[in-house]
Amino acid sequence: MHSAIVGNPHALHSPLVLTQAARHLAAVTLSVFPHTTAAGPAHLAGRDAHPDTLRRAVAYLEAHADQDVTVANIAAAAHVTVRAIQLAFRRHLDTTPLGYLRRIRLHHAHADLRAADPGRGDSVAAIAARWGFAHPGRFAALYRREFGRSPSITLHSWA
């Protein structure tokens, strides 16, 4: 992720990219150095979220896709534990909460690409970075998998 940020001027100015990089650094630090943090109440970990809870979580993600969102934020918005929201997304949507958020952001990037004008200087890299995608190549691969064509084709077919 580091080289994707340093080599991409759009990513250097994207709040979503920078907070994701900081979170990644914190996760790596926690995995490398010993710590004594607890995972949370064990008796609540196996409980799955109710469909209304999942709907609240999805609504929160859709309303906050342009912001720095953590799994803890999603769980709090849905009124359940982190483990319960992770379990609910895995069981009912076959993804993770942050994977679902990435898909929402991908759809927002798609809409921005469709509305963009390359003649005004709009670029795939800038739009990708706006939605938290620091690495243009990875963004293009995700985009192609979701929409069946490259983001540059979408950008240049606006007229």
Side-chain angles (χ1 to χ4, degrees):
M1 179 176 249
H2 177 269
S3 63
I5 294 172
V6 172
N8 181 345
H10 301 292
L12 284 171
H13 300 289
S14 170
L16 286 176
V17 171
L18 294 175
T19 55
Q20 288 173 3
R23 189 168 295 112
H24 181 71
L25 177 62
V28 168
T29 302
L30 285 173
S31 70
V32 171
F33 297 105
H35 58 87
T36 58
T37 58
H43 68 283
L44 296 176
R47 293 201 325 205
D48 195 355
H50 188 271
D52 288 338
T53 303
L54 195 57
R55 276 192 285 279
R56 280 193 300 271
V58 167
Y60 176 84
L61 289 173
E62 289 172 352
H64 296 87
D66 62 337
Q67 299 169 22
D68 180 30
V69 175
T70 66
V71 178
N73 298 139
I74 301 163
H79 312 296
V80 295
T81 65
V82 167
R83 181 70 183 128
I85 205 68
Q86 289 171 328
L87 195 58
F89 271 82
R90 181 59 64 201
R91 283 186 181 164
H92 301 292
L93 300 174
D94 194 31
T95 189
T96 64
L98 295 181
Y100 194 87
L101 175 61
R102 183 174 42 251
R103 189 161 183 219
I104 290 171
R105 288 176 175 166
L106 191 61
H107 281 264
H108 281 291
H110 175 69
D112 284 359
L113 285 166
R114 292 184 67 195
D117 180 355
R120 290 189 319 235
D122 294 333
S123 70
V124 171
I127 291 169
R130 180 181 317 141
W131 288 105
F133 299 96
H135 193 281
R138 288 190 199 119
F139 170 73
L142 287 169
Y143 190 93
R144 194 174 293 108
R145 194 171 340 162
E146 184 72 19
F147 300 107
R149 61 193 212 172
S150 74
S152 61
I153 289 175
T154 301
L155 175 65
H156 291 95
S157 65
W158 69 273

